[in-house]
């Protein structure tokens, strides 16, 4: 382990995870590393959860506020949620135990754009950060840190926190040294300057995280892998969705709006995203670029096969097989992958300048193109908005992808009015389901509605949506964006009441 810690003073601050966790006190605001199950601290949160449970057994309160880069894993979010140890969490999560706590109203959760987290922290919007717990690959002689498998908000956490606990994890490949690009040119308004990045493979920062060693109160040695559940292989529905989008790209190339190199790709995680990436490979694309948040298995394969020339992100999101592939060929991948801070990977100025093609999932879209990507039935949090808004509002193209139905056909992915709005119709260019692709560019609200119903709705729901739109067009208070306010959310109400959004008597059209 000592070959990972080259700063003599920090060698002397080594201690057990239990000793380090004891330095975290009730009521603290604690910022932790981690982004989509990569690069999160593995040992200290688990030890802290045990101490929280012991305190609760004694009748003592022990909760903290937790800030991260994005979702983490059961060893962090899961154990702290199970212990009842979080009073507040932000900005994104995917742990089922944590999600249940949030939806049961047992802890506060702030869902925000991932590109906003760092700057809002600098602005002081989240108050004082008492302590940061950061996983790293190693510590250099000058105290600078080799980042781990995610960079996320770690630069900001290290700068803003009073004290720091470091986890040095030998499971993370030492050969990642040099793969990262940490930008230190940010400033508070009105002193900001342009960020000089014009290509996805530009390096504008440093390979290491700067550190004031005097702030470090503990160094914990760990040997534990990132834990990420493999995504299911693309099914027929995902493949059909991908096919519609790939066909659209071909049409855009013929129309002269895209070249055969497309534009930098941003892709959410999951089997639909992997299906799209796979479709690019089978369609013969080469030399593409990605400017995105995460590198998942599908993108790793495209880099290996030359479909993607370079990929910029803030984190990996690899299955165990993907991690093995990366580690086995790390010298190849380190020349083609750049991991940046989250404030740069999700920066709106850069996304707009590069002209990213944003491809993200959704829970539902309404007939006018408003998208709900976070709340089931408008009230129950799924995971969070993540970075989808950063890219959808600022990208050259913004596509939202989803099956046309869920819950065995009981729920439509296309509804009269979304129950919660994350992305307004103004930020939505493409809606894609297995039924087809609705190109909403240049369309008025009523034109959008006709297109979405025709192209994207499932046949079981298409007559219902058409009936609603026809009646709304006649009876709505205003005719620009026709709605029947007394029934626009009735589908969601039926689902909450019965578990099925379909009416007992189908519409006759």
């Amino acid at each position: 382990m000592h070959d990972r810690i080259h700063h003599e003073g920090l060698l002397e601050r080594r201690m057990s995870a239990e000793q380090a966790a004891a330095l975290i006190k009730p009521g603290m605001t604690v910022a932790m590393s981690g982004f989509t199950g990569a690069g999160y601290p593995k040992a200290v949160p688990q030890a802290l959860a045990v101490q929280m449970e012991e305190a609760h057994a004694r009748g003592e309160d022990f909760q903290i506020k937790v800030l991260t880069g994005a979702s983490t894993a059961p060893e962090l979010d899961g154990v702290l949620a199970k212990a009842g140890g979080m009073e507040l969490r932000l900005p994104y999560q995917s742990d089922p135990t944590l999600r249940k706590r949030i939806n049961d109203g047992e802890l506060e959760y702030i869902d925000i754009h991932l590109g906003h987290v760092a700057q809002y922290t600098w602005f002081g919007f989240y108050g004082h950060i008492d302590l940061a717990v950061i996983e790293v690959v190693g510590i250099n002689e000058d105290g600078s840190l080799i980042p781990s498998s995610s960079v996320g908000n770690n630069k900001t956490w290290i700068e803003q926190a009073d004290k720091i606990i470091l986890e040095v994890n030998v499971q993370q490949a030492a050969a990642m040294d040099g793969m990262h690009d940490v930008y230190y040119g940010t400033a508070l308004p009105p002193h900001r300057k342009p960020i000089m990045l014009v290509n996805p493979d530009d390096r504008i920062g440093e390979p290491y995280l700067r550190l004031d060693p005097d702030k470090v109160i503990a160094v914990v040695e760990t040997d534990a892998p990132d834990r990420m559940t493999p995504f299911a292989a693309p099914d027929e529905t995902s493949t059909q969705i991908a096919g519609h989008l790939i066909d659209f790209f071909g049409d855009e190339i013929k129309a002269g709006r895209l070249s055969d190199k497309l534009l930098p790709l941003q892709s959410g995680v999951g089997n639909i995203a992997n299906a799209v990436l796979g479709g690019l490979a089978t369609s013969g694309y080469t030399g593409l670029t990605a400017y995105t948040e995460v590198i998942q298995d599908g993108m790793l394969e495209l880099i290996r096969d030359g479909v993607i020339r370079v990929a910029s992100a803030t984190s990996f999101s690899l299955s165990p097989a993907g991690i093995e592939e990366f580690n086995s060929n790390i010298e190849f991948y380190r020349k083609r992958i750049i991991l940046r801070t989250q404030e740069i990977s999700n920066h709106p100025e850069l996304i707009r300048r590069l002209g990213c093609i944003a491809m993200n999932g959704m829970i539902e879209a309404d007939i006018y193109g408003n998208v709900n990507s976070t709340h089931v039935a408008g009230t129950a949090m799924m995971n969070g908005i993540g970075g989808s808004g950063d890219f959808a509002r600022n990208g050259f193209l913004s596509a939202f992808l989803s099956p046309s139905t869920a819950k065995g056909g009981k729920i439509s992915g296309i509804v009269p009015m979304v129950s919660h709005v994350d992305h307004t119709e103004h930020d939505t260019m493409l809606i894609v389901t297995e039924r087809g692709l609705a190109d909403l560019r240049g369309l008025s609200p009523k034109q959008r509605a006709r297109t979405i119903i025709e192209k994207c709705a499932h046949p079981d729901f298409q007559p219902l949506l058409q009936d609603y739109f026809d009646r709304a067009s006649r009876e709505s208070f205003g005719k620009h964006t026709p709605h029947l306010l007394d029934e626009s959310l009735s589908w969601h109400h039926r689902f909450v009441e019965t578990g099925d959004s379909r009416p007992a008597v189908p519409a006759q059209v």
Side-chain angles (χ1 to χ4, degrees):
M1 174 64 79
H2 294 177
D3 62 349
R4 296 287 187 101
I5 306 173
H6 298 287
H7 188 280
E8 291 298 325
L10 295 182
L11 263 175
E12 297 174 359
R13 291 174 211 171
R14 288 175 297 150
M15 62 182 69
S16 69
E18 291 73 20
Q19 291 171 316
L23 301 173
I24 302 175
K25 304 301 180 183
M28 278 187 168
T29 295
V30 181
M32 300 199 188
S33 63
F35 194 109
T36 60
Y40 59 93
K42 316 296 195 284
V44 172
Q46 294 185 82
L48 177 62
V50 172
Q51 294 173 18
M52 287 172 165
E53 290 173 343
E54 292 172 347
H56 294 160
R58 296 191 298 268
E60 301 170 5
D61 291 332
F62 197 152
Q63 290 187 320
I64 60 173
K65 299 180 180 71
V66 177
L67 290 63
T68 66
S71 56
T72 62
E75 296 95 333
L76 196 165
D77 277 332
V79 295
L80 294 182
K82 182 180 179 182
M86 283 189 273
E87 63 173 288
L88 180 140
R89 174 74 166 79
L90 69 84
Y92 183 88
Q93 52 74 41
S94 62
D95 183 83
T97 304
L98 175 55
R99 183 186 302 121
K100 185 176 187 306
R101 291 267 188 181
I102 292 168
N103 289 324
D104 287 346
E106 296 173 357
L107 67 90
E108 302 300 327
Y109 174 61
I110 302 174
D111 182 29
I112 60 172
H113 299 294
L114 297 186
H116 282 167
V117 181
Q119 71 165 359
Y120 284 3
T121 302
W122 306 331
F123 296 166
F125 292 175
Y126 303 133
H128 189 74
I129 297 180
D130 298 291
L131 192 145
V133 186
I134 309 293
E135 180 184 90
V136 297
V137 168
I139 305 173
N140 296 317
E141 290 183 1
D142 62 357
S144 62
L145 306 172
I146 304 170
S148 186
S149 51
S150 68
V151 183
N153 288 315
N154 293 350
K155 167 187 169 289
T156 299
W157 301 155
I158 290 169
E159 288 176 335
Q160 295 292 316
D162 288 342
K163 302 295 181 183
I164 298 166
I165 295 173
L166 298 175
E167 285 197 12
V168 181
N169 186 359
V170 296
Q171 279 265 333
Q172 301 287 8
M176 278 197 288
D177 186 351
M179 182 178 260
H180 309 85
D181 188 65
V182 183
Y183 180 65
Y184 280 95
T186 51
L188 294 175
H191 305 294
R192 285 181 164 172
K193 297 179 181 179
I195 300 169
M196 303 309 293
L197 187 150
V198 296
N199 297 292
D201 49 351
D202 287 348
R203 288 183 173 272
I204 58 173
E206 305 170 10
Y208 306 121
L209 291 160
R210 298 175 185 174
L211 175 73
D212 176 0
D214 290 340
K215 293 173 69 172
V216 177
I217 58 174
V219 176
V220 177
E221 300 169 339
T222 65
D223 186 358
D226 287 334
R227 192 200 306 198
M228 285 173 277
T229 303
F231 293 109
D235 57 14
E236 182 179 359
T237 297
S238 300
T239 302
Q240 289 171 334
I241 293 170
H244 295 313
L245 193 57
I246 299 299
D247 289 344
F248 170 81
F249 290 154
D251 292 340
E252 290 296 286
I253 292 171
K254 292 177 183 176
R257 288 185 287 266
L258 288 174
S259 76
D260 61 0
K261 302 305 180 188
L262 302 179
L263 283 166
L265 303 173
Q266 179 265 333
S267 174
V269 297
N271 60 347
I272 294 177
N274 276 323
V276 172
L277 296 174
L280 292 170
T282 58
S283 299
Y285 287 95
T286 61
L288 305 181
T289 62
Y291 193 85
T292 188
E293 299 167 292
V294 295
I295 306 294
Q296 55 183 339
D297 288 25
M299 195 167 288
L300 210 63
E301 294 172 9
L302 297 194
I303 295 169
R304 181 191 63 202
D305 297 338
V307 179
I308 289 181
R309 176 179 60 82
V310 65
S312 169
T314 193
S315 176
F316 289 105
S317 184
L318 301 175
S319 70
I323 294 173
E324 182 177 355
E325 161 66 19
F326 173 74
N327 288 337
S328 298
N329 299 283
I330 195 166
E331 290 303 324
F332 172 84
Y333 289 114
R334 59 182 282 126
K335 300 173 184 176
R336 294 163 176 84
I337 294 173
I338 301 171
L339 295 184
R340 308 184 189 275
T341 55
Q342 186 170 323
E343 67 210 64
I344 297 299
S345 69
N346 289 57
H347 199 290
E349 177 196 2
L350 302 178
I351 293 166
R352 180 167 291 191
R353 179 185 302 151
L354 295 172
C356 293
I357 297 175
M359 301 176 288
N360 291 286
M362 64 181 185
I363 291 174
E364 61 185 5
D366 67 27
I367 58 176
Y368 297 110
N370 300 292
V371 171
N372 170 19
S373 60
T374 58
H375 286 72
V376 176
T379 60
M381 172 58 62
M382 180 57 70
N383 295 331
I385 193 170
S388 57
D390 298 321
F391 286 89
R393 173 155 288 187
N394 299 289
F396 178 82
L397 288 170
S398 61
F400 288 95
L401 322 173
S402 172
S404 64
T405 62
K407 299 290 184 183
K410 294 180 179 180
I411 303 174
S412 176
I414 308 298
V415 296
M417 178 186 284
V418 287
S419 56
H420 176 90
V421 180
D422 291 294
H423 312 281
T424 73
E425 60 183 284
H426 311 292
D427 300 330
T428 306
M429 299 182 192
L430 309 173
I431 299 290
V432 193
T433 73
E434 82 282 2
R435 306 299 305 175
L437 180 149
D439 183 353
L440 307 178
R441 295 173 298 175
L443 301 186
S444 70
K446 291 191 288 293
Q447 291 172 327
R448 295 160 76 93
R450 296 185 188 104
T451 303
I452 291 171
I453 293 170
E454 175 189 354
K455 298 289 189 181
C456 298
H458 191 277
D460 290 349
F461 289 94
Q462 208 167 40
L464 300 168
L465 291 164
Q466 190 65 54
D467 173 66
Y468 173 86
F469 176 67
D470 290 343
R471 289 185 294 111
S473 296
R474 295 190 302 267
E475 304 167 18
S476 175
F477 170 76
K479 302 301 190 292
H480 176 65
T481 305
H483 267 305
L484 302 174
L485 296 181
D486 59 341
E487 65 173 274
S488 57
L489 295 176
S490 61
W491 294 25
H492 301 89
H493 179 71
R494 277 195 298 270
F495 168 70
V496 171
E497 293 293 315
T498 69
D500 194 326
S501 67
R502 297 169 294 189
V505 180
Q508 300 296 319
V509 179

